[in-house]
Amino acid sequence: MASAPSKLYADDVSLVVVLLDTNPFFWSSSSLSFLQFLSHVLSFLNSILTLNQLNQVVVIATGYNSCDYIFDSSLDLKRSLENGRMPVMCSSLLQKLEEFSFKDEQLSKEEPEGRIKCSLLSGSLSMALCYIQRVFRSGALHPHPRILCLQGSPDGPEQYVAIMNAIFSAQRSVVPIDSCYMGAQNSAFLQQASYITGGVHHKPQNLDGLFQYLMTIFAADLHSRSFLHLPKPVGVDFRASCFCHKNTIDMGYICSVCLSIFCKHHKKCSTCGSVFGQAQSEAASASDKKRKTPET
Amino acid sequence: MASRHVTKRAKYKTTIKDPGTPGTLRLTLEKILFVPHNPKSAGKLDVEFRFIKGQKHTKEGSNKPPWLNLTNNQNGSFIFEFENYSDLQYCRDFVGKVLAKSGEVSEKPTVTYPDEQLSAAEMELRIKLLQEDSELQKLHKQFVLSDVLTEAEFWATRKKLLDTEANKKTKQRLGFKSAMISDIRPSTDGRTNKVTFNLTPEIILQIFAEKPAVHRAFLSYVPNKMSEKVFWTKYFRAEYLHSTKNSIAAAAEAAEDEELAVFLKLDDILASEARWKIRRVDPTLDMEADEGDDYTHLPDHGIFRDGSKDMTESQNELYRRTLSQDINRHAAVVLEGRAVDVDLDDTRAVAEALAWSKQESSTKRESDGDTNQERLARVSRMTEIEDLQGPNNLPSAPLCIKDPRDYFDSQQANALRTSGDALGRTEQIKCSLSTQEVYGSLRQSISVIKAMGLKDPIVKPEVAHQVFDALTNSISTTKYHIGKNPHESVLDRLPKKTKDELLHHWTSILELLKHFWASYPITTSYLYTKVNRLKDAISNIYPQLEEIKGSVPSELRHQVSLLVHPMLQALDAAIQHYEADMQKRSTGSVDKPNGYV
Amino acid sequence: MPQVKIIAKNFMDMVASLPAIKLDMLYRNQFICEAILRSLPPLAKKYVLQMLYIDVPITSKSLQEWVIADGSSKHKVAIDRLIQLRVLEVIDRKKETAYKLNSTFQTNLRKHLINGGILPREPMPSNVTARLPTLEELDAYAHGQWECFLLQLISSGQAERSTSFSSSMMRIFQRGLLRQREKEVPRLTESGFQFLLMDTNAQLWYVIREYISNSEEQGVDQADLIAFLLELSFHTTGEAYSLNTLTDDQRAMIKDLADLGLVKLQQGRKESWFIPTKLATNLSVSLTDSSLRKQGFVVVETNFRLYAYSSSKLHCEILRLFSRVEYQLPNLIVGAITKESLYNAFENGITAEQIITFLQQNAHPRVAEKTPAVPENVTDQIRLWETDLNRVEMTPAHCYDEFPSRDVFEAASDFARVHCGLLWEDPKKMRMVVKAEIHMLMREHLRGNK
């Protein structure tokens, strides 16, 4: 007999919220073309939906200036005979994606040049969590949710606080964040996100086989994961961004009241307003830095 | 301490089987004295407390008699059997205190910071904390007993632990007494016909709460029509007449005095309230009690109003109804709790405050009128009983900042990592195209895929196979590297002794550094000596760490040194800071008139 | 008392038992491939996905590599199932087992991922059909129809009433659930009573299975029926589909399915059509019992009283099978489990275990959180009362005596013990009783000793 009935469906029913990196600056410089990427991801999504009738997929586009829901299988999963060329879900997704890209471009016109070309990961993470919370609260039964970040753009250090907050709230509501990073160097944010929430982080070596990576690693539902070895990254990049200049640092000052991180000494904490004691003399200050993380 | 000595009757036994010698046990702060009742018997005992190591005792509720077993430091024991458990508890507490005290004295021989006067309870709490947490005890032993830290300093950083006990007692609001007002008995002096009622502010509040009609009458009559005293006299007169069932007399008096009549009438406010309540009863459940539950008609059962049970049958029915109404009303008031928070001595103010809070709830009730509709809908739906529905809590895991020990792992792995991930430099995406162009190319890909469909095959079988093989390979190698269990950490591969030592050093270093950094800036001579003490302790750790490194087999040495490295770094930073500070002190002492030199 | 236990065997077991040629035929149909994939255990699904684009055989070792020690049994189950269904082909070479996906299955699934699912048939345009029932109405209809079917089953066992069910459905009942002696009202058989205590999904599959094997006797191909049923599950709930698109066999089947509430039939001016209900579309959902699990409603107290928050007549009837229903409030049925009521149930062939599982599976969510959901004293007592009835156990056996020597006797008794057949022995008088099953073996053994 089944143990205590939870509010979950059967073991392997999952809700996958996919965060799609649509940062045009990344895709124009990436070795993997957006065309290939889309075709891998779309067939992956289709296979998730095929696995179980109750499975649900939500796609959120993570743009350069904005993010938005572009697909929700619970809304438009009507099988219709529209065209036999590709899964029906794809056409509606692509339509939305195109509209999204126009909107995103509009917004970037007001943007000054010279920003780091990162995508708005913090926004889409929060949207994903909001969606999942809504699922939690509605109805008696819900599938087991997880988030999958398909990211290629580099980390935006200025999003550090927002992303960390999202990560902690995901951990609190037991939502694993899987991440697949396709960019050149690895992403510290995503590593930490997956590490803290108990998800899987992987950086594919061979991007032509992205589909195979997705199927082998990220298609595994949470129930099966308890029986499987999934690739475990060796070591996690725990570095933080300072709150003052948004630099990525591995040594810095920490406010003893609110734990805000600064790359250099301040008179007053910009977050909580605590007044810090007098700085030590210049000679001493070098050694005065408290360690945030062990040296990498 | 509450008492300096305790004397109880007890039996002294040398073994458990021994029937025991009856006598008197006298416990003082220094000694245990046992004098048998029979002066000839051999059981006389005179032991000093400092020989006593500990105590054991039987639990109340177990089938054993109340025994107290005191063990001395030669592994002998003295067993006392008490007459009852309360005696045992008393003695046990006393012994506990004495032992705690003597233990404490022996633990900290000389250094007691002068302004520290601890009560026995605090002491006991500290001892308990130390006993419960072996890690804490180790640290305490290491630093406090070796004079690196004083007792006060050690505990100052753990105020939270000490506070917990006190915090457990939350303040509770005083509620109504559960005694009913009908229990206010008049006291008669037997000789005269005078009947006296004792009225306290507490009782007045209760009367107001339970009898809305009296409350209303009070508001309208006092002080315009009559004084407070007259009011209460009239009230109790009516009450008295009612309780003695002197209905003729009551009717006669009521005819003369209209105010008195108010009290004798049935409370109409209560009646309307009851009607309102009945309307709200959920009809999906039949709450009618079983006939068998009602045994008030049996002799010696039920509650009587004033001790007189001689009632006629005709009265009985009415009486029973009013009694149950009274009880229900009383229960409701007690459950509602104290609605007003004013000074009880001013009766008028109490009455008004009560009236005000009533008004609030009645406006609430009016809005309830709409809910009638909803209630009907509910009935039709035949919903489930509320208390059978599950709690509406969402699943949530406790927020967990990972165990700092995990950082050992990442440390290790980062050191192992061969492929340079180019850490530390944010690579800018080389972007030769304009914003417009990049968005254009993105959309072009979208329209291509819209027109052409998905690529077929999505991946080439060779590539897929290659990827799968690579992944399988990496899985099996990490399994080899990290051991069978994926959660196993680097630490687990070290010998247990080394692991324990490392962890212990880590905690003790943290403790020392915490105190060290907290002492800056040095403003008093006390801090100055403390820093010096700490610095000495810190420098003592270096050779110990070296020793650990040397003690492990060579194949593990590299890993251990990786683990020790951050500790050394942290210590170095402290020493460096100390030296820089000292230097500054010696050169720039003139600049700091307030600072200690 | 004979122990009858009907097992709701999985539908996929039935598919798996089809001959290889028929299975390969089935896999030519895309729906079947999709339905089979959905029916697999989670790990098996993952294996299929990761091998989907690999053409060369994968060694079993490389699959095993991914599984942690605790999961090896799950891994074995998954692989066995895949081989059973012929989704995986086993290739033995160089002493190493390797697997490869069934190529028809593989191609169809790949096609499905890239092209998307095709619909089995097109729904009728809304201008042809009249107002279609809403999803809620449809659910209520399906539920009502199913309950009606079960009530029918109960009442036909109790009172004579003309059944509204078609004869083919009645035949299914008579296959196992009902027993009709001449000139007597049909009675529920032991399996019939047990059937009532199963959960809806298991009941549905039981009926479907019986239906299929029943139709097979009448010459309808089993594979065709399975294909049609799976196809049916890919129709959209609540859409109307024309009956004209069906073959004769299928049309006959649809009528029977309508009786069970799997589809709703409607008649328009010219055409008639069927509307699949949730029961039908759930046919291909991974066939675990939990996915369709409904909220429980029964609370059992330690004093053997039983409260069921339900207004359903069916629930009341089911509870009546093993308890004494005392009163029925609008939303609550109160009963008591008594020795008499249980004896009644045991006489009908219901086992204690079945009653206990029923109580546990239908436990009210609030008590289901606790372990045990049904108080232990109650479950123990139910079991005790059952064993009360089974004090004597019959085991066919043979008695051996007059052994020529003690050695022969001891050798024989050891032999019997090794084969788990020794029931009783008396070393003094050299006699023993041995289970009938191993009588032949014993004889061989004794002969050999001579």
Side-chain angles (χ1 to χ4, degrees), chain C residues 382-444:
Chain C
I382 294 176
R383 288 195 189 100
L384 283 175
W385 276 328
E386 187 189 37
T387 46
D388 264 3
L389 293 175
N390 300 334
R391 264 175 267 189
V392 177
E393 195 181 347
M394 299 259 280
T395 313
H398 289 265
C399 180
Y400 297 78
D401 59 357
E402 293 176 20
F403 282 91
S405 70
R406 187 148 295 272
D407 288 344
V408 177
F409 171 78
E410 267 162 16
S413 83
D414 284 346
F415 180 82
R417 212 173 274 127
V418 166
H419 289 82
C420 303
L422 186 69
L423 291 172
W424 174 84
E425 64 171 337
D426 180 1
K428 258 185 205 157
K429 292 183 181 163
M430 294 204 286
R431 288 188 302 187
M432 67 168 98
V433 174
V434 175
K435 273 188 198 163
E437 294 144 35
I438 64 158
H439 175 60
M440 292 310 281
L441 283 171
M442 278 298 283
R443 233 168 49 187
E444 297 278 303

Side-chain angles (χ1 to χ4, degrees), chain B residues 296-472:
Chain B
T296 43
H297 59 282
L298 297 175
D300 296 319
H301 279 287
I303 312 154
F304 15 96
R305 201 177 161 93
D306 52 8
S308 58
K309 274 206 287 181
D310 47 339
M311 290 168 274
T312 56
E313 270 304 303
S314 59
Q315 271 181 315
N316 204 10
E317 192 51 37
L318 178 71
Y319 165 69
R320 255 167 64 180
R321 228 178 38 221
T322 51
L323 174 62
S324 59
Q325 270 171 8
D326 280 357
I327 292 177
N328 281 338
R329 174 71 197 160
H330 175 70
V333 166
V334 169
L335 284 180
E336 229 166 60
R338 205 172 275 255
V340 286
D341 235 350
V342 286
D343 189 13
L344 289 180
D345 291 333
D346 185 357
T347 317
R348 178 83 203 162
V350 170
E352 268 159 9
L354 206 60
W356 195 68
S357 75
K358 278 265 174 60
Q359 218 161 33
E360 251 183 6
S361 68
S362 70
T363 51
K364 223 187 288 161
R365 187 182 310 168
E366 269 152 31
S367 67
D368 277 0
D370 309 332
T371 57
N372 200 32
Q373 202 61 38
E374 189 200 326
R375 186 174 56 89
L376 287 174
R378 199 172 109 101
V379 175
S380 64
R381 270 186 283 124
M382 299 303 169
T383 46
E384 287 172 272
I385 312 298
E386 278 158 3
D387 62 3
L388 283 167
Q389 266 157 17
N392 201 20
N393 289 342
L394 294 175
S396 73
L399 189 57
C400 104
I401 309 296
K402 296 277 177 177
D403 186 350
R405 288 169 199 183
D406 278 3
Y407 288 94
F408 284 132
D409 252 0
S410 79
Q411 178 101 22
Q412 172 87 354
N414 280 330
L416 286 175
R417 180 150 47 193
T418 45
S419 61
D421 255 341
L423 289 170
R425 81 190 146 84
T426 20
E427 174 210 40
Q428 290 284 332
I429 294 178
K430 300 175 292 295
C431 192
S432 50
L433 302 166
S434 73
T435 313
Q436 219 168 353
E437 282 168 320
V438 289
Y439 276 104
S441 76
L442 196 71
R443 276 196 295 275
Q444 203 195 336
S445 321
I446 298 174
S447 43
V448 166
I449 207 166
K450 260 171 137 178
M452 311 289 292
L454 301 179
K455 203 174 99 189
D456 186 18
I458 308 164
V459 277
K460 292 198 195 78
E462 309 84 68
V463 177
H465 187 229
Q466 217 179 330
V467 166
F468 179 72
D469 270 356
L471 282 175
T472 311

Side-chain angles (χ1 to χ4, degrees), chain B residues 283-286 382-391 453-462 464-465 468-469 471-472 475-476 479 486, chain C residues 50 53-58 61-68 110 113-115 295-297 299 309 311 329-332 364-367 369:
Chain B
T284 48
L285 252 196
D286 185 3
M382 299 303 169
T383 46
E384 287 172 272
I385 312 298
E386 278 158 3
D387 62 3
L388 283 167
Q389 266 157 17
L454 301 179
K455 203 174 99 189
D456 186 18
I458 308 164
V459 277
K460 292 198 195 78
E462 309 84 68
H465 187 229
F468 179 72
D469 270 356
L471 282 175
T472 311
I475 291 278
S476 40
K479 244 201 302 198
Chain C
Q50 72 190 21
Y53 272 90
I54 300 176
D55 281 344
V56 289
I58 294 286
K61 197 170 147 280
S62 62
L63 282 184
Q64 189 99 45
E65 204 71 64
W66 290 73
V67 184
I68 64 172
R110 283 189 196 175
L113 285 196
I114 293 170
N115 300 334
Q295 284 242 315
F297 57 98
V299 178
Y309 291 90
S311 45
L329 301 177
N331 66 338
L332 180 69
H364 193 281
R366 278 310 279 278
V367 286
E369 282 165 16

Side-chain angles (χ1 to χ4, degrees), chain B residues 147-171:
Chain B
D147 289 353
V148 175
L149 294 171
T150 65
E151 182 82 15
E153 280 165 6
F154 184 78
W155 288 107
T157 53
R158 289 180 177 76
K159 284 219 175 77
K160 236 193 197 146
L161 283 178
L162 295 173
D163 282 347
T164 47
E165 291 296 301
N167 285 344
K168 273 180 194 158
K169 291 175 204 144
T170 50
K171 274 193 185 151

Side-chain angles (χ1 to χ4, degrees), chain C residues 115-130:
Chain C
N115 300 334
I118 323 157
L119 285 172
R121 54 179 57 80
E122 215 168 336
M124 290 167 76
S126 53
N127 51 13
V128 179
T129 58

